[in-house]
Amino acid sequence: MSGGISVHVVDVTRGLPAESMQVEIFQLGVPEPIAAGCLSGKGTLDHPIAQKQVEPGVYEVVFYVGDFYRQLGYPLPDFPFVDVMPFRFGVSDVQQHYHLPLKVSPWGFSLFRGG
């Protein structure tokens, strides 16, 4: 795969994809999301942004972790430890694909550039 941005989220508390988590992808300087939606049953954002080349620049993915766990019925406090989680990253080489695998729980996360 050449170019594009993809995300894949796994809920490590259940060992399952984070189906229905809301995600938005922004290019900094553009007021509206360039991609948004709920994650599929595979924990991926099924959006054309995963297949198309993006411009060089700084991007931000916003993961709505608190809302996801509330949907599942987790008893979160009024101010959850992990709630709305923004992640900024740079795209320099538009020929490369930028895959962002996220492992998440209500108490922590791990996010890296995948292959």
Side-chain angles (χ1 to χ4, degrees):
M1 181 183 301
S2 153
I5 299 169
S6 60
V7 297
H8 181 213
V9 184
V10 174
D11 168 16
V12 296
T13 65
R14 301 175 307 139
L16 295 171
E19 181 178 6
S20 79
M21 180 185 287
Q22 179 70 30
V23 174
E24 296 175 323
I25 302 176
F26 294 88
Q27 181 177 11
L28 283 155
V30 177
E32 297 296 317
I34 60 170
C38 290
L39 299 181
S40 72
K42 295 179 182 178
T44 57
L45 181 62
D46 294 333
H47 190 278
I49 193 80
Q51 306 296 324
K52 74 176 197 178
Q53 244 177 19
V54 294
E55 298 174 11
V58 178
Y59 291 80
E60 182 173 87
V61 179
V62 180
F63 299 93
Y64 290 88
V65 177
D67 288 346
F68 170 72
Y69 283 110
R70 284 183 196 94
Q71 278 178 207
L72 293 175
Y74 279 63
L76 298 182
D78 290 339
F79 303 102
F81 185 70
V82 180
D83 193 7
V84 177
M85 195 191 92
F87 178 76
R88 283 193 182 172
F89 62 100
V91 170
S92 295
D93 184 350
V94 298
Q95 298 299 315
Q96 292 188 29
H97 183 79
Y98 291 79
H99 181 63
L100 305 175
L102 171 66
K103 297 175 186 176
V104 69
S105 81
W107 309 279
F109 63 90
S110 172
L111 193 146
F112 54 96
R113 181 170 176 202

